[in-house]
Amino acid sequence: MKYNRCGKSGLLLPEISLGLWHNFGSVDNFENCESIAVEAFDKGITHFDLANNYGPVPGSAEENFGKILWHNFQGNLRDEIVISTKAGYTMWNGPYGDWGSRKYLLSSLDQSLKRMSIDYVDIFYSHRPDPETPIEETMMALDHAVRSGKALYVGISNYSAEQTRVAVDVLKQLGTPCLIHQAKYSMLERWVENGLLDVLEEKGVGCIAFSPLAQGLLTDKYLNGIPENSRAHNPNGHLKEDEVTAERIQKLLQLNEIAQNRNQSLAQMALAWLQKDKRITSVLIGASSVKQLCNNIDCLQNTEFSNDELNAIEQILL
């Protein structure tokens, strides 16, 4: 595992980080969750990414991760891992359990620390911008989280390029630099290339990509249509059936052909493709099993692309 410097900070993050958005909730098998996390650490993944509402039920991923920490990462091992969490999406009912107010963010952080039974997180994020709350208030809450000792660093997620520029400048004025931006980025979701990555490079802020496999689209699962047990088939999933079009499947088949010529799976190539841009500090993967985790990590065996490969991929993605 290679470790990249996060922006202009002193913090190094692994090329691949583990996200606990799915498969770590109260509805999931705890022994499987624990096996995935332990294997990830043994493979060099030192960064574990959570949010207050990850589950289901909301909060249960943090609770399970707290148990995993207690069982496997006692003593100095806590100092060998980076734990991040976020607040910004709906966590509890009423006027104080959503968005970006100081009240919500700091209350949520306290709850997250309690669920995980830890004294601090390494990174605390504003999970999304709040159109009704001044960005200065949200950034002041992040600044306070660091000054209170409950977070070592802060970051933002899902902010546009212009919102990011403002947020980073406010945090700098407060004396707490913005460490990292967590952005949705994949072969099929490339909005960050239209300004955000330039702002992050200019400001010295790291970037970690989430949903790098486009909710499973960039795997071999959908090459022959929508299988019964897939996220797209689930009406409550984040991937909708109407996103799996015949045109898109044709693109996936062409991408898969390039991947096979590289001796990679489509998923492995999609993960490696993100790492070609040195502004990407880390790529955030999920996993439902140890086998899937290891298969994804194997993308690191081939992260170099020829110009012909890159050009062919661009033509497919047009």
Side-chain angles (χ1 to χ4, degrees):
M1 183 70 64
K2 177 185 171 187
Y3 299 87
N4 297 322
R5 188 164 303 281
C6 191
K8 292 182 179 178
S9 77
L11 186 67
L12 299 174
L13 292 179
E15 290 178 289
I16 299 289
S17 298
L18 181 64
L20 281 66
W21 183 13
H22 301 292
N23 306 311
F24 280 79
S26 56
V27 300
D28 300 297
N29 179 278
F30 176 77
E31 287 73 22
N32 185 54
C33 303
E34 187 169 40
S35 296
I36 293 169
V38 171
E39 181 69 17
F41 182 74
D42 288 345
K43 286 286 194 295
I45 292 178
T46 54
H47 177 211
F48 298 89
D49 181 79
L50 299 110
N52 58 354
N53 63 341
Y54 287 177
V57 296
S60 60
E62 289 182 328
E63 290 176 354
N64 277 338
F65 189 66
K67 295 175 185 176
I68 292 169
L69 288 175
W70 179 256
H71 292 167
N72 302 278
F73 296 97
Q74 284 293 299
N76 291 337
L77 280 179
R78 170 63 182 95
D79 299 328
E80 297 294 326
I81 61 176
V82 171
I83 302 170
S84 59
T85 196
K86 317 175 197 74
Y89 285 93
T90 304
M91 183 59 194
W92 63 86
N93 294 329
Y96 311 121
D98 202 351
W99 292 106
S101 71
R102 181 185 181 95
K103 169 72 172 174
Y104 170 49
L105 293 179
L106 296 178
S107 297
S108 178
L109 177 56
D110 284 341
Q111 293 179 20
S112 292
L113 296 177
K114 185 175 181 180
R115 280 191 289 268
M116 290 186 278
S117 298
I118 55 179
D119 296 325
Y120 69 94
V121 292
D122 296 276
I123 308 170
F124 182 51
Y125 288 91
S126 167
H127 206 166
R128 61 172 171 173
D130 182 348
E132 302 297 329
T133 298
I135 201 166
E136 290 82 2
E137 178 179 340
T138 301
M139 296 307 109
M140 286 177 67
L142 297 183
D143 173 67
H144 180 81
V146 171
R147 294 183 186 279
S148 65
K150 296 176 182 179
L152 300 186
Y153 303 92
V154 295
I156 55 178
S157 180
N158 298 304
Y159 280 56
S160 70
E162 187 52 41
Q163 289 167 330
T164 296
R165 184 181 294 278
V166 174
V168 170
D169 286 346
V170 171
L171 282 170
K172 183 177 181 180
Q173 292 168 9
L174 292 168
T176 298
C178 182
L179 174 79
I180 193 168
H181 188 297
Q182 187 170 134
K184 190 174 186 180
Y185 187 25
S186 72
M187 283 180 162
L188 302 178
E189 180 76 60
R190 300 175 66 176
W191 72 274
V192 302
E193 297 172 4
N194 296 322
L196 178 64
L197 289 176
D198 292 333
V199 171
L200 297 180
E201 183 176 31
E202 174 193 339
K203 298 293 186 180
V205 177
C207 184
I208 182 168
F210 77 88
S211 291
L213 300 180
Q215 293 295 307
L217 259 181
L218 289 166
T219 69
D220 58 10
K221 184 176 290 185
Y222 296 96
L223 296 178
N224 298 308
I226 302 175
E228 287 289 323
N229 64 341
S230 66
R231 289 182 185 176
H233 191 73
N234 182 350
N236 299 316
H238 291 275
L239 180 64
K240 306 304 180 186
E241 280 197 32
D242 59 10
E243 295 179 66
V244 191
T245 62
E247 179 185 3
R248 181 160 275 181
I249 290 175
Q250 188 59 39
K251 289 179 182 287
L252 297 177
L253 289 168
Q254 294 176 65
L255 290 171
N256 188 56
E257 185 175 343
I258 296 175
Q260 288 180 332
N261 289 333
R262 289 169 51 83
N263 295 315
Q264 289 183 314
S265 67
L266 176 56
Q268 288 169 342
M269 184 179 77
L271 294 172
W273 180 86
L274 286 171
Q275 296 175 32
K276 73 186 187 309
D277 192 320
K278 300 309 177 186
R279 294 172 294 185
I280 301 299
T281 310
S282 185
V283 176
L284 195 58
I285 64 168
S288 59
S289 66
V290 168
K291 180 180 179 181
Q292 184 187 32
L293 172 79
C294 293
N295 283 339
N296 285 341
I297 293 174
D298 283 345
C299 75
L300 299 176
Q301 294 179 10
N302 185 10
T303 59
E304 299 296 324
F305 288 83
S306 70
N307 288 333
D308 287 344
E309 287 174 328
L310 291 174
N311 290 334
I313 289 170
E314 284 300 317
Q315 288 302 310
I316 294 168
L317 295 176
L318 286 177

